[in-house]
Amino acid sequence: MNGDVHTEPAASSLTVAEIARLGADVLARVGTVVVGMREPLRVAFATILAGGHVLFEDVPGLGKTLAARSIAAAVGLDFRRLQCTPDLLPSDITGSFVYVPRTAEFEFRPGPVFTGLFLADEINRTSPKTQSALLEAMAEGQVSVEGSSFPLPTPFHVVATANPIESEGTYALPEAQLDRFMVRLSVGYPDEAGESRVLLARVSRRHEVATVEPVIDAETLAAMQAGVEAVDVDPDIADYCVRLAAATRRHRSVEVGASPRGSQGLLLVARALAVLDGRDFVIPDDVKSVAVPVLAHRLTLTVQAWTGGVRAEQVVTEVVNTVAGPPAVGAAQRAGGARQADAARR
């Protein structure tokens, strides 16, 4: 893999094969500096292709910030990082109007959220008021300050990190905020071989900061996203996503289940994963593989379940294991049609 940056016209839409090839290049480039996170990185990149936002929730020191920075660099997005603290104000994220003596007028100075990929590091360390400053940006791609609205660049994505084991001086993200993240990912500890590669990579580069060269640019990323949007999904797969989300609402351990935004996220991320695999159709395994990261953080457990040690991830896994999948005939027909079309092109 060379260091050339793949570029595409802003208005174009790439084919499934082109997206799969470029996606593999991006993940391979990121994998040169981020070790032991193959599947979380794959799901995070699929979420970006699906137009969503990512929450990494795990203990410190596992490379969550490095992963976000590396993805941003590989896809050619402008990147800004904000370390969240209790005294952070909403204007520190969105920006504010500043009086300019030369013109005797107030001028808007954009905050760090005006970028391609915004990293909110340790988002649960800042107050709910400041956390809410991201709600409009994540949902509508704009920010409103003192009655004026300002559009954000496109593509625009938020990657946030949170530490789940420390509660002192932190503010748990409310359900409305969590629901804006398309996925919540846990990195996990690397195995011993992976951890050894991390240490040896640090020694070999002779400095602390690991850098990733761009593989594509922002315009090409937009073309990849447009290509993913052009892929249709079988009604049976959509119905399967709906039934999974609905099952969480009826589960005995759940007080508030996944909303329709959850079932939509399930469909969109599964479709992006299918495209990364080089397929123009979604299979049930795509949906199953992302059910936990897409749905678990949207569930509110009952008090009895929470005190009993039940985890939302366990509930989603149980739902996936009990809800019947869609008929295999539809997927098989689409697979056969795709192969015939591919053969005809060749």
Side-chain angles (χ1 to χ4, degrees), residues 237-253:
I237 294 292
D239 178 67
Y240 182 46
C241 294
V242 170
R243 288 188 288 113
L244 286 174
T248 66
R249 303 164 200 160
R250 300 188 298 266
H251 196 278
R252 61 189 179 281
S253 298

Side-chain angles (χ1 to χ4, degrees), residues 49-317:
L49 289 180
H53 309 288
V54 181
L55 174 63
F56 282 109
E57 187 174 88
D58 219 320
V59 298
L62 296 182
K64 302 184 295 295
T65 302
L66 175 62
R69 188 173 67 241
S70 300
I71 291 175
V75 299
L77 293 179
D78 291 333
F79 173 79
R80 292 189 182 180
R81 172 183 178 271
L82 186 66
Q83 180 64 49
C84 296
T85 57
D87 60 348
L88 203 67
L89 299 175
S91 58
D92 294 326
I93 294 177
T94 62
S96 59
F97 282 92
V98 177
Y99 182 73
V100 182
R102 180 174 54 84
T103 61
E105 294 180 348
F106 284 90
E107 180 180 294
F108 180 69
R109 300 288 173 84
V113 76
F114 285 83
T115 187
L117 193 148
F118 176 69
L119 172 61
D121 221 350
E122 296 187 294
I123 192 173
N124 58 333
R125 286 198 175 276
T126 195
S127 68
K129 181 178 181 180
T130 304
Q131 291 172 3
S132 66
L134 282 172
L135 283 173
E136 182 184 14
M138 295 170 70
E140 302 176 28
Q142 66 175 26
V143 296
S144 297
V145 180
E146 297 183 17
S148 298
S149 297
F150 301 92
L152 295 170
T154 53
F156 168 75
H157 300 279
V158 173
V159 176
T161 68
N163 178 3
I165 64 171
E166 189 176 0
S167 58
E168 185 176 352
T170 63
Y171 306 85
L173 290 174
E175 285 76 7
Q177 185 89 42
L178 282 172
D179 202 39
R180 292 298 194 278
F181 289 100
M182 191 171 282
V183 297
R184 180 180 65 182
L185 297 170
S186 176
V187 176
Y189 289 104
D191 56 26
E192 292 184 1
E195 194 164 352
S196 294
R197 290 199 300 272
V198 172
L199 271 58
L200 293 174
R202 168 62 182 88
V203 172
S204 65
R205 66 175 177 263
R206 303 290 192 269
H207 54 82
E208 180 63 30
V209 180
T211 58
V212 172
E213 294 299 320
V215 177
I216 58 177
D217 58 12
E219 289 74 19
T220 306
L221 176 62
M224 294 174 71
Q225 292 174 329
V228 172
E229 286 290 348
V231 174
D232 292 326
V233 178
D234 279 343
D236 285 342
I237 294 292
D239 178 67
Y240 182 46
C241 294
V242 170
R243 288 188 288 113
L244 286 174
T248 66
R249 303 164 200 160
R250 300 188 298 266
H251 196 278
R252 61 189 179 281
S253 298
V254 176
E255 182 175 337
V256 180
S259 68
R261 186 181 283 129
S263 55
Q264 177 175 277
L266 197 56
L267 182 68
L268 296 180
V269 179
R271 180 176 64 175
L273 278 180
V275 174
L276 285 178
D277 283 343
R279 287 182 278 107
D280 62 351
F281 58 94
V282 181
I283 60 176
D285 282 349
D286 296 324
V287 177
K288 294 176 181 178
S289 67
V290 295
V292 170
V294 172
L295 296 180
H297 65 289
R298 305 176 193 272
L299 308 185
T300 302
L301 301 182
T302 63
V303 175
Q304 294 85 349
W306 184 78
T307 56
V310 176
R311 300 175 65 241
E313 291 81 0
Q314 295 171 328
V315 172
V316 176
T317 300

Side-chain angles (χ1 to χ4, degrees), residues 1-6 21-22 25-26 28-29 74 213-216:
M1 183 166 50
N2 57 37
D4 295 338
V5 178
H6 301 278
R21 176 177 56 83
L22 291 176
D25 289 347
V26 168
R29 186 71 60 87
E213 294 299 320
V215 177
I216 58 177

